[in-house]
Amino acid sequence: MSLSAYFVINLILALLLYLYGRSRAIAFSSSRKLFATKGYFGLHNLLVAFVPSFLFVLIYTLAEPGMIRYLVQSALPSVLDVEPESFQFIYNELLNVHAEIIPFDASNTTHTLGLAVYVGAINTVSISKMLLFGSIVLIATMYALYRTNPSFNARVHAELMIKWILMLLSMISVITTFGILLSVLFESIRFFGQVSIFDFLFGTQWSPQTAIREDQVGSSGAFGAVPVFGGTLLIALVAMAVAIPFGLFSAIFLSEYAKSSTKDILKPILEILAGIPTVVYGYFAALVIGPFIRELGDNLGWQLTSESALAVGLVMGVMIIPFVSSISSDVISAVPMSLREGSYGCGATKSETIRNVVLPAALPGIIAGVLLAVSRAIGETMIVVMAAGLAANLTFNPLEPVTTVTAQIVTLLVGDQEFDSAKTLAAFALGLVLFVVTLLLNIYALHVVRKYREQYE
Amino acid sequence: MSRDLKTLVSQGLKSRYRNERIMRSLGVTALLFASGFLLLILSIIFSQGYRAFTQTYIEIPIELSTADIEDISSINFQNKIRDGLRELFPELQARAELADLFRLASRGASIDLERDISSETPPGTINFIALASSDVDMINKGYFVDSESPRGRLSEQQYEYFQSLTDRNLISRQINTNLFLKGDSSYPEMAGVMGAIMGSVFVLGITLFLSFPIGAATAIYLEEFAPKNRFTDFIEVNINNLAAVPSVIFGLLGLAMFINFFGFPRSAPIVGGFVLTLMTLPIVIIASRAAITSVPPSIKEAALGLGASKLKMVVDHVIPLALPGMLTGTIIGMARALGESAPLLMIGMVAFITEIPQTIFSPSTTLPIQIFLWADSPDRGFSERTSAAIIILLVFLILMNLIAVILRKKFEKKW
């Protein structure tokens, strides 16, 4: 049965039970006073009939490919002579034959016997799905019928169930965090089984391209990530050198000097700048800013590439200006008016007030905003993928090309890949570092922002 | 004494006022820089991209005999186009010359011809408007007018043929329907964004379908039902942090979890939709919570005071009043998802796909990824299209944000 068939059966049954509960409640109410209105009897039955079986179908369907694979993996060796290493290859071929992407070859034993095993596994899995679904539906129906009686408080039960459903849905964001952590951690551990964690964190050679043949040059691959971290830091530094002054000064102007009519024009400009997709910034960096800086260098007699850290950082900085500006303006407007008025009362000018009163009072919040912006800069992907280089240089000269963590993650994982090589696993190790660093920055910054708000409330 | 103070103050006044002006002008400079950069980006993209919205065509006479019409399947359309071109230049005989000539028309021309001819077409000569090759298109659009080689990538002979066709008024520029209606292609003149747009529609559809209900439910739970305890605090901190996790990390999650663990197909919009759902959820939740908190407590208390249960109060009063705010937040989240590309690169949505995707399981790309793919090509025809695709993407984004603004303006209530 297809997914939609399950869904339709589920829905029809739930509706029937809803109508049943409702009509029974109307019948009950003629003889005695009920604890709940008729709608709640219906709602209770609807939830009982729909939710458990729907969840079951959802989870089972997600797990189905894995179960089929497991069944085939355990049954195939008894039919065919399969090495564990080549299983993935054969399994993929079976999938393709079954989907008729590869034509069926009757003389090929892998096709004939393997396909029988595969089809058998599909049948086993789908029949057990149907049986389990049927029994869940049966139990739910019996429970709903049993509960449809005059002394049942349907309202309390239905509302409790809805509360639980809401809580389950709100758990998805928590599950996401753990999902990220687990999936990145799991692959990273596999990576650290092949490459020592100290070599990864403190090594200064990064050339992850492992060759196919053993005897090729550089076949081992080197996974010292220091140059990658250095490059990320360098680009983030350039970006912050652009974003902090421009963002901060525009925030000061917008929240302290600008009239509301000027604000109405200027704020949308920053919002548009924030809304431009990063791929557009990346294209712009690669197409305009990079070549422009190279030509500028040519005129000065320097040999520059168009992939310099300066070009990438500059565009990234512009991208982050609105972010710094909006956080800083929030923080600055949260500084109480009384502080400013006190300063004006002492005879200070506006700029003196800003420098000596408003900014010091807003400093913790601004620093937190800057930290959030830093975590943005090191996590930014498209600009660096499109405009930065791939060679890992350990340098602090912004005119040279460098590579970043995100650019490496993308290059290591895009295209053909096998999942056991150190090369692809290295991307997850880089991802782990990126996740942990940005998480720490965010937790600290959000904590500071929260504390800061409480201080002035 | 007071006179001393007065002179002291007035001595300092000049530099203090100067500082005042400096502070002000720094702010103005910062904003000018930001708006200047925005203007630069938009003007460069526009000046590069607007020409891609028209395309060069060559008018070629196509001879159709009665026998051709009777048996359309046997027509070799490629040869028909070639015969037509030969007819325009009867003096050419040598093989090399003819091969040069044939290259003026696009490979797509024969496909268009095949589409245009049916069994109802009257036999005789028709003037077919054939798609020109990208090299011809570039010259006709004036890309090489001021450069050292005005004939671009055309050979000397080809340039002469082109000139002769122009003199005979057979070259024309028309609205580029291919750009809007076709999928990707390795020939720039035949490449379009329709495949990518369909991919984006599928991905965004799934994202909307999942993130709005889940986000709204989470917000309602946290604002109205959750007990104030450590665990609720943890969920809150967690959501705020999730909003700041780099998008590429969500791509890693999608790859490790949905593709490797659950066995979903690579490059499919369904996985893209899942990943972007998880990414936009925090935005939707935060916006929805703000919308719910802005519902005045007096209304809630009135409902409770009249004997409504908590659920009734939420369903009948809080949700209707907070719905516009929730929808606005969702649309803004969708706009973010539409422009997002990094996590989709991770799950393999970056591929050369010529067919327009039909289902949420068929391999596809999205609009930003198409831009990324075309941006890599050194071909001028593609860089023109990259900018055009960016313009299309920006138009979609502007529309979505406009809807959000209108929604907010129309339904926002100041209590």
Side-chain angles (χ1 to χ4, degrees):
Chain A
M1 270 200 305
S2 73
L3 205 57
S4 49
Y6 278 109
F7 187 68
V8 167
I9 291 176
N10 214 345
L11 213 60
I12 289 173
L13 189 79
L15 274 177
L16 284 177
L17 278 172
Y18 170 80
L19 291 174
Y20 172 75
R22 222 178 114 94
S23 62
R24 290 298 294 160
I26 292 171
F28 297 148
S29 63
S30 61
S31 57
R32 61 176 285 190
K33 212 166 156 44
L34 296 178
F35 289 115
T37 53
K38 55 186 190 293
Y40 277 111
F41 276 91
L43 183 65
H44 174 264
N45 285 358
L46 184 110
L47 291 174
V48 166
F50 189 76
V51 177
S53 41
F54 179 74
L55 279 181
F56 165 76
V57 172
L58 204 70
I59 293 169
Y60 199 98
T61 311
L62 281 178
E64 226 164 12
M67 287 196 277
I68 293 173
R69 193 192 146 96
Y70 176 77
L71 284 179
V72 174
Q73 197 163 15
S74 52
L76 207 57
S78 60
V79 191
L80 280 171
D81 195 20
V82 183
E83 315 269 318
E85 300 88 58
S86 59
F87 174 72
Q88 182 62 47
F89 176 73
I90 291 174
Y91 190 66
N92 281 342
E93 190 170 340
L94 284 179
L95 286 183
N96 285 333
V97 172
H98 189 252
E100 288 170 5
I101 296 168
I102 297 176
F104 179 74
D105 180 4
S107 62
N108 188 335
T109 52
T110 316
H111 283 201
T112 51
L113 297 174
L115 204 63
V117 170
Y118 181 69
V119 171
I122 289 180
N123 286 338
T124 314
V125 167
S126 62
I127 286 172
S128 52
K129 184 182 187 179
M130 256 187 264
L131 288 176
L132 283 170
F133 176 76
S135 38
I136 288 175
V137 160
L138 200 68
I139 292 170
T141 312
M142 274 160 62
Y143 178 75
L145 293 180
Y146 161 71
R147 279 302 199 185
T148 311
N149 65 56
S151 59
F152 177 59
N153 193 339
R155 183 177 70 81
V156 169
H157 281 254
E159 292 197 348
L160 204 68
M161 268 191 249
I162 288 192
K163 201 175 149 182
W164 273 96
I165 292 169
L166 290 178
M167 203 191 86
L168 276 182
L169 286 174
S170 72
M171 292 310 294
I172 287 180
S173 64
V174 179
I175 296 170
T176 308
T177 308
F178 282 106
I180 291 176
L181 198 63
L182 283 182
S183 56
V184 179
L185 203 62
F186 187 66
E187 308 279 343
S188 299
I189 289 169
R190 283 172 65 193
F191 174 71
F192 291 129
Q194 297 180 26
V195 177
S196 122
I197 188 162
F198 288 102
D199 289 351
F200 176 70
L201 287 178
F202 303 110
T204 54
Q205 277 297 320
W206 179 265
S207 56
Q209 299 300 333
T210 38
I212 299 158
R213 290 201 323 271
E214 289 288 318
D215 53 327
Q216 265 175 311
V217 184
S219 61
S220 56
F223 295 96
V226 170
V228 183
F229 299 148
T232 310
L233 220 61
L234 181 61
I235 288 182
L237 270 178
V238 176
M240 296 324 289
V242 175
I244 293 174
F246 285 109
L248 196 57
F249 281 120
S250 50
I252 290 172
F253 184 79
L254 283 176
S255 50
E256 297 287 325
Y257 286 104
K259 283 177 280 177
S260 70
S261 59
T262 333
K263 240 191 233 179
D264 286 346
I265 305 169
L266 290 174
K267 264 208 163 152
I269 290 180
L270 289 181
E271 276 163 21
I272 295 173
L273 211 54
I276 291 180
T278 53
V279 68
V280 178
Y281 281 110
Y283 182 59
F284 187 71
L287 186 86
V288 182
I289 302 295
F292 172 74
I293 285 177
R294 190 191 57 209
E295 268 168 41
L296 206 67
D298 282 350
N299 291 338
L300 293 171
W302 297 338
Q303 282 286 322
L304 300 181
T305 64
S306 48
E307 297 175 335
S308 62
L310 184 65
V312 181
L314 190 69
V315 176
M316 197 188 278
V318 171
M319 191 193 81
I320 298 174
I321 288 176
F323 189 72
V324 174
S325 163
S326 87
I327 289 189
S328 308
S329 1
D330 283 354
V331 169
I332 288 173
S333 4
V335 174
M337 219 44 208
S338 57
L339 286 183
R340 294 189 186 85
E341 280 155 1
S343 169
Y344 295 146
C346 292
T349 62
K350 208 158 200 178
S351 67
E352 281 162 358
T353 307
I354 293 168
R355 256 183 301 143
N356 299 326
V357 178
V358 177
L359 286 186
L363 197 62
I366 291 175
I367 289 175
V370 167
L371 289 183
L372 284 178
V374 170
S375 101
R376 266 261 170 116
I378 60 179
E380 171 47 45
T381 309
M382 289 320 283
I383 297 179
V384 287
V385 168
M386 293 172 84
L390 286 176
N393 290 327
L394 186 54
T395 170
F396 279 94
N397 179 1
L399 295 174
E400 278 187 45
V402 290
T403 190
T404 72
V405 172
T406 48
Q408 286 303 318
I409 291 176
V410 170
T411 25
L412 291 178
L413 284 182
V414 168
D416 296 325
Q417 44 179 271
E418 61 240 80
F419 269 93
D420 302 318
S421 76
K423 186 186 143 197
T424 37
L425 293 176
F428 285 90
L430 287 175
L432 180 66
V433 174
L434 181 65
F435 182 65
V436 169
V437 170
T438 51
L439 196 69
L440 290 179
L441 277 174
N442 294 337
I443 290 178
Y444 179 69
L446 289 171
H447 175 74
V448 172
V449 167
R450 211 168 160 189
K451 252 199 148 159
Y452 171 81
R453 285 226 180 94
E454 280 162 9
Q455 204 178 340
Y456 288 121
E457 257 166 17
Chain B
M1 182 63 193
S2 72
R3 173 168 290 178
D4 285 351
L5 192 62
K6 211 169 179 184
T7 44
L8 207 66
V9 169
S10 56
Q11 271 171 3
L13 265 186
K14 211 174 167 189
S15 72
R16 288 173 69 195
Y17 280 138
R18 201 179 55 228
N19 283 344
E20 184 70 25
R21 282 195 299 276
I22 289 174
M23 187 63 117
R24 216 187 147 85
S25 57
L26 279 175
V28 174
T29 318
L31 282 160
L32 277 182
F33 175 77
S35 10
F37 216 95
L38 178 65
L39 212 64
L40 184 69
I41 294 180
L42 293 182
S43 60
I44 284 180
I45 298 293
F46 186 77
S47 67
Q48 277 213 333
Y50 79 96
R51 284 188 271 207
F53 290 100
T54 58
Q55 188 69 32
T56 305
Y57 288 83
I58 309 173
E59 199 177 321
I60 302 176
I62 301 288
E63 202 117 14
L64 286 171
S65 62
T66 336
D68 281 339
I69 297 298
E70 270 163 15
D71 188 10
I72 291 178
S73 57
S74 70
I75 306 178
N76 184 335
F77 291 97
Q78 182 94 36
N79 283 347
K80 283 283 175 204
I81 300 271
R82 291 184 170 176
D83 291 344
L85 277 169
R86 208 181 293 186
E87 210 168 299
L88 291 173
F89 294 93
E91 69 277 10
L92 298 183
Q93 293 302 327
R95 247 161 183 269
E97 285 176 333
L98 283 173
D100 258 3
L101 175 67
F102 295 157
R103 247 174 256 136
L104 291 184
S106 161
R107 282 170 192 246
S110 56
I111 301 168
D112 290 346
L113 183 63
E114 190 171 354
R115 189 195 55 211
D116 280 5
I117 288 174
S118 67
S119 49
E120 268 99 64
T121 316
T125 308
I126 55 168
N127 282 330
F128 177 64
I129 311 289
L131 187 60
S133 76
S134 177
D135 296 336
V136 173
D137 185 44
M138 292 295 106
I139 289 167
N140 191 35
K141 283 176 179 166
Y143 273 104
F144 302 104
V145 170
D146 299 322
S147 76
E148 288 158 27
S149 57
R151 52 190 171 80
R153 291 199 333 207
L154 292 186
S155 71
E156 226 163 286
Q157 280 83 15
Q158 280 177 320
Y159 191 63
E160 267 169 38
Y161 309 149
F162 169 71
Q163 289 289 352
S164 140
L165 285 171
T166 319
D167 293 342
R168 281 186 269 172
N169 250 342
L170 293 173
I171 300 273
S172 63
R173 258 167 89 178
Q174 301 183 2
I175 298 288
N176 188 356
T177 48
N178 278 349
L179 179 66
F180 295 103
L181 299 178
K182 296 223 165 125
D184 200 2
S185 165
S186 44
Y187 300 96
E189 72 272 13
M190 287 154 66
V193 294
M194 194 56 200
I197 287 179
M198 280 317 285
S200 277
V201 166
F202 283 136
V203 169
L204 279 194
I206 295 164
T207 309
L208 180 66
F209 182 72
L210 292 174
S211 68
F212 180 63
I214 297 175
T218 308
I220 290 168
Y221 177 74
L222 288 177
E223 285 299 325
E224 299 293 341
F225 292 102
K228 286 269 164 277
N229 58 18
R230 281 240 171 129
F231 185 64
T232 312
D233 277 351
F234 171 69
I235 298 182
E236 272 196 62
V237 170
N238 179 58
I239 288 169
N240 287 333
N241 280 319
L242 216 51
V245 167
S247 59
V248 68
I249 301 277
F250 284 96
L252 287 179
L253 169 75
L255 181 61
M257 187 124 102
F258 295 121
I259 294 179
N260 286 349
F261 189 72
F262 285 128
F264 277 96
R266 277 173 73 88
S267 315
I270 180 132
V271 183
F274 286 161
V275 170
L276 292 186
T277 298
L278 299 181
M279 212 193 76
T280 46
L281 253 185
I283 302 173
V284 178
I285 294 172
I286 290 168
S288 301
R289 290 188 69 178
I292 292 171
T293 23
S294 72
V295 174
S298 57
I299 291 180
K300 298 187 204 170
E301 281 152 15
L304 291 175
L306 287 173
S309 68
K310 196 131 198 201
L311 184 72
K312 268 280 176 210
M313 181 266 281
V314 169
V315 172
D316 290 351
H317 301 283
V318 176
I319 292 180
L321 291 173
L323 198 61
M326 290 176 168
L327 285 176
T328 313
T330 309
I331 294 172
I332 289 169
M334 288 300 111
R336 270 279 287 285
L338 174 60
E340 196 53 70
S341 29
L344 302 181
L345 290 182
M346 305 273 83
I347 56 164
M349 289 193 82
V350 47
F352 176 66
I353 291 153
T354 53
E355 290 116 62
I356 292 165
Q358 301 296 326
T359 71
I360 51 172
F361 292 100
S362 39
S364 55
T365 58
T366 66
L367 207 42
I369 303 254
Q370 190 68 69
I371 292 167
F372 171 70
L373 286 169
W374 282 351
D376 247 5
S377 167
D379 199 316
R380 264 179 194 247
F382 276 120
S383 53
E384 176 188 275
R385 272 170 169 69
T386 313
S387 297
I390 290 176
I391 293 173
I392 295 171
L393 177 63
L394 290 180
V395 166
F396 276 116
L397 286 176
I398 289 169
L399 280 180
M400 287 171 83
N401 282 299
L402 218 59
I403 293 172
V405 168
I406 289 170
L407 210 65
R408 192 183 294 162
K409 281 257 158 68
K410 192 154 183 206
F411 292 101
E412 194 179 47
K413 272 190 197 152
K414 285 270 184 275
W415 301 96

